[in-house]
Amino acid sequence: MKRMIIVLMMMIFAFVITACGGNDGLDTDVTAEISLMTWAGNGIHYKDIGHQNFTAEDLTNKKVASIYATAKAFNEIYPNVKINYLGKEAGPDDGGVFWDQELSNYKDKYGSYPSVFSIIDTVQLLKQGVLADLSVYEDDELYQQLNPGLMEQANYFGMQAALPGYFIPHGMYINQNIIQDEFLPEVQPSWDFDDFSDLVMNGEGQADGYSGLGALPSTWAKQMFIYDDLYDNSYVDLDTEEVRQFFADGMKEWNDYQFYAHEEDYQDEHVTWAPDAFSDGVVTVYPEDPWYLDTFAQHNSSMPGPDGFDVYPFPGYNERETTISTVTDPLGVYNYCNDDGDPECSVEEKEKMDVAYEFAIFMIADSRAREARATQEYGETSTEGQVNVVTGAADASLPVTTGELFDEQMDYWYQIGSNSYYEDKPGFEAMLDIIRSGDVKAISDKIYPWFYTDETTETREMIFEEFWYFYEIGDITIEDPAWLDTFYSKLDPWTDLFNDRLDMAWQEVEDSLITHYGYAEGDERFGD
């Protein structure tokens, strides 16, 4: 298997188990106690949350309501499993404590890592032996229905380090109003590079206050020339005619049409922020920031999208078909097999891992969990302090399954919040076609080896940093006539540099598998 890895959404549990089913599945009478930990909670440690009876007014945090609904649904099947939940307030690194430190603090306080948990840095936890190898469940029916493109990124030489916990697609937001007002050709789901260029350049109307492009489509380039190569080959090759052509005919030309290339007075009218400009209806194509999928769809949000907007896959280029990029957060299960210092699982250790896995896979892939969250009521507190009851305790994360199961779970997704906006939108539906097929080449910086250890400073540095800021090479910016030749001159040395760094990062992964997961020096799996 290729050197890939994955990502998450948010959870953690630590648990003590007193009885459990075997390899044929859990006994529904299993008695166990597990703990879950995520971010985006309220800081309260809930004991046996699935057996509580909260009202909507009791649940004024959407994440807590989501976990409550999931735990209750799980307890309908496994009534004797206690699920304790701790959700850090705000984001994973907010509050002055990084997420990995939060996990360590949990271990120090409770004597063990949570059973299931959200992940920020999969490789770092692998290097500590914290993550269970979930490939032992590859014959499980739900496991087999997980999207292979999302799963592969978390697979290290056969060791499945995580599950996809949170997932949204990354495409391009299109302002249909400008297209109609300027009599431009309608965007088709099968559009290509030339269609995109024509739309950006003809959707520019400075006299009318329009920008053709919100920002340079950096992620489109990264998906084609970095992520696809990593997914397929585990190395990159930037020194190609295809890369030169894309940046010469595309990036260099499009830069004149992007929001940030315009006068400061024009930018100031829209808070100097391209998403605001798209929200204000003065940007034709906004190709970045997929996390605004939810915000743009809310008509009463601080930044609603323009009326009738849609989100399309990245255009085709040369022989490449339309594609998407992804935002994925991994979900981990604690590696109980290492509790005694031996990578081999004892019967008791395997039983603990079985329960943790069963809850994790239920949460991310079982339609009963999706339904429970879609119908769960919770309270939203207004600025005046009034609690309003809302139905649908879930975020914008799409199903991580494929085929008919994906379609079934999308029905629940459309029921939640503003998600119904995207139903029957042709661009969004084209992205769903790519997802349900499983033809997703997902690479997440929370999963894939994204950092290497600098031997001089002994610090962890980003492997692809120089390419990430391609529009500014030293003192030469993309507006400079010398930029293109300078960019060309970097492609060969960058290719060598990045692949050398990848080799160092993957060596650390191999060493971790040898130390903590029973792999041998020169293991034949390292050649896969």
Side-chain angles (χ1 to χ4, degrees), residues 382-396:
S382 68
T383 54
E384 293 79 24
Q386 180 179 351
V387 176
N388 301 309
V389 176
V390 178
T391 301
D395 50 34

Side-chain angles (χ1 to χ4, degrees), residues 5 24 89 170 186 236 276 289 303 341 364 388 414 443 503:
I5 323 152
D24 294 330
E89 292 185 85
H170 186 160
E186 182 178 343
V236 297
D276 269 304
D289 297 332
M303 211 161 51
I364 67 168
N388 301 309
Y414 284 127
I443 297 291
D503 285 343

Side-chain angles (χ1 to χ4, degrees), residues 365-367 370 399-401 405-413:
D366 197 301
S367 293
R370 283 267 171 189
V400 296
T401 50
L405 186 60
F406 176 85
D407 290 333
E408 174 185 311
Q409 294 174 356
M410 279 301 299
D411 289 340
Y412 295 121
W413 187 85

